[in-house]
Amino acid sequence: MKNIFDKCKFGNFDIQSRIIRSGMWESQKSENGILDQAVFNRYENIAKSGVGLINSEFFCIDPRDRFAKYSSNVNYKGFVKDYNEITNIAHKYNVPILGQLAIFWYNDGLNQKVTPNDISFEGIRRFQTDVILAAKKFEFAGFDGIQINMGNNFYLSNFINPYFNQREDKYGGKTFNRMRIVLEIVRVIKKNYDIHVNVKLNANDGRKGGIGFDESMEMCKLLEEYGADSIQLTSRSNTFPTSDGSNPFIDYADKLSGDTNISIILGGRFNDKDNIENVLNTTNIEYISMSKPFVAEPDFLVNWKAGTSSETKCINCKNCYSKKVSTCFVNGTDNV
Ligand SMILES: Cc1cc2nc3c(=O)[nH]c(=O)nc-3n(C[C@H](O)[C@H](O)[C@H](O)COP(=O)(O)O)c2cc1C
Ligand code: SF4
């Protein structure tokens, strides 16, 4: 019988529950550009709540990238110092923490929004180098690994997608070729650095001519073969629309968890302890991620563990998501 608070092995990590905090924008800066105290408090509240693993908000590499003003980037002066304080907070409570890298527009030095079809071979090498160097920066800052976001509508989700990628060289065409850009990155990081590599990937693209469940499964197996330690499933739209409000990818995640030997995380719309335990105990799924519930109530896991509540205060109104801040507009919390 699986329990939310089982102590588990996740990749090489020993974690204290099956609940993973998935990334969220939260880089409020104070006036002098250093992280605001509220961000440190938020991490402390989440880390000490009994969470298994924390994923950071996403970082970009170019300050002109699409979401840069809501998030942060690995190349600002002080990144290593600021985030070393954040990772120390997680480690104080024995919680591993991954730094998430997400590039929306890629600037290859010639074009600030170069498309997957137009990027040159040298541009691809530059992209891969940027990601590999970001992984090193994460390591310097004390992160236990990197989460490479190739889901939602980020650059890599387009690059691997036949809907967008019509390249005729070895980075286009069959599944393996479209995945090559990422597989090479994963292999270089795993062979050279001692860090965990997680990849965030859409379970299903939803576009005609895009990536369906079968191809997504093939991609996950390639990631496993090339050394990825874990996979976070997501959806093209972060709102996970379904008629009954449930997660749409349970059957797929069940099959994927059964068919691979790496840790698979399913997230989106989970809010209820009994429902999560039911999913854990009726499928092969081992890990569930949550994001908005931590905005509404950063320490809800304390009450879940004590048995004093089994839901969270998040009503999934999505205001925090659409306003791009980690503040709950219903419960008035800002995680401090
Ligand atoms: C305020 C906010 C910010 C988010 N920022 C990120 C982010 O930086 N990186 C990311 O991969 N997902 C981000 N997400 C998406 C969540 O990680 C998650 O996939 C999505 O909200 C669905 O999960 P949930 O229903 O548990 O919230 C964000 C969500 C919210 C609410
Ligand atoms: S603003 Fe809405 S979606 Fe966001 S945490 Fe609060 S209740 Fe949940």
Side-chain angles (χ1 to χ4, degrees), residues 120 133 174 207 228 323 335:
S120 64
L133 287 176
K174 61 185 182 181
R207 286 183 185 91
K323 296 194 169 84
N335 282 342

Side-chain angles (χ1 to χ4, degrees), residues 291-297 313-321 325 327-333:
S291 182
K292 294 188 289 292
F294 285 102
V295 178
E297 198 184 356
K313 292 181 181 161
C314 177
I315 60 165
N316 205 35
C317 70
K318 303 185 193 86
N319 269 322
C320 52
Y321 186 72
V325 285
T327 297
C328 180
F329 294 88
V330 172
N331 297 291
T333 56

Side-chain angles (χ1 to χ4, degrees), residues 22-25 57-58 100 149 152 200 234 238 240 267-270 289-293 295 316 320-321 325-326:
S22 69
M24 58 169 88
W25 290 297
E57 66 179 323
F58 70 73
Q100 186 191 146
N149 193 337
N152 310 128
K200 192 166 186 175
T234 188
N238 256 323
F240 293 80
R269 307 199 73 145
F270 288 102
S289 71
M290 299 166 83
S291 182
K292 294 188 289 292
V295 178
N316 205 35
C320 52
Y321 186 72
V325 285
S326 292

